[in-house]
Amino acid sequence: MDAVEKEKVASSVPREASSHDGGCGCGCANHAGADGMPECMPDEELLYDLADLFKVFGDTTRIKILYALMGQQRCVADIAELIGATQSAVSHQLRTLKQARLVKFQRDGKNVIYSLSDDHVHTMIAQGMSHICE
């Protein structure tokens, strides 16, 4: 994807305002001291969980699935057709995305309909795309 295409994609993804809870203790900039550094390091388990979350974004098929679900619920067959993968491959990757709590599902008769878990997932994808398009 060239820079023009990346910019088109990034500009098509709406940016959302942060509604960060100031009492979360996550070590983000909202909790920084006067020098801009976090006041304390998040606990090791929290950092491990964060690293695991980012690992989930390390697969192109999973990113395509998340993009396919931005703004629309879809079944496995529709996702597979849209991203050009087999239903088996999509199902396998959806399992990983469910375990990471990035997608949710609901049953509709024999079909299972998938969607993004919440607005945070949309924001992470949009921010990532915005970052690489700069």
Side-chain angles (χ1 to χ4, degrees):
M1 184 181 299
D2 68 350
V4 174
E5 290 173 325
K6 285 181 184 177
E7 184 57 37
K8 284 181 186 176
V9 172
S11 65
S12 70
V13 179
R15 294 187 179 153
E16 299 176 22
S18 174
S19 60
H20 190 314
D21 174 14
C24 74
C26 68
C28 70
N30 289 358
H31 307 289
D35 61 359
M37 296 298 291
E39 292 175 356
C40 63
M41 182 66 68
D43 113 333
E44 194 71 25
E45 186 175 339
L46 189 60
L47 293 172
Y48 181 82
D49 291 345
L50 182 60
D52 275 350
L53 174 65
F54 282 117
K55 286 178 190 175
V56 174
F57 291 100
D59 182 271
T60 306
T61 302
R62 289 193 290 264
I63 296 294
K64 287 179 182 179
I65 291 169
L66 292 172
Y67 256 98
L69 295 175
M70 287 177 82
Q72 186 169 352
Q73 300 178 356
R74 298 180 191 270
C75 67
V76 173
D78 290 346
I79 296 169
E81 183 178 335
L82 186 65
I83 70 169
T86 65
Q87 288 187 31
S88 175
V90 169
S91 292
H92 176 76
Q93 297 301 339
L94 281 166
R95 185 177 322 115
T96 301
L97 292 168
K98 284 189 295 188
Q99 289 171 343
R101 296 180 298 148
L102 296 173
V103 298
K104 61 184 178 182
F105 67 96
Q106 63 186 25
R107 294 206 175 272
D108 181 24
K110 290 185 178 183
N111 287 328
V112 178
I113 308 299
Y114 292 89
S115 61
L116 296 181
S117 289
D118 55 38
D119 289 338
H120 293 114
V121 180
H122 188 279
T123 301
M124 285 187 283
I125 296 292
Q127 289 293 316
M129 186 59 74
S130 183
H131 179 75
I132 64 169
C133 290
E134 288 182 353

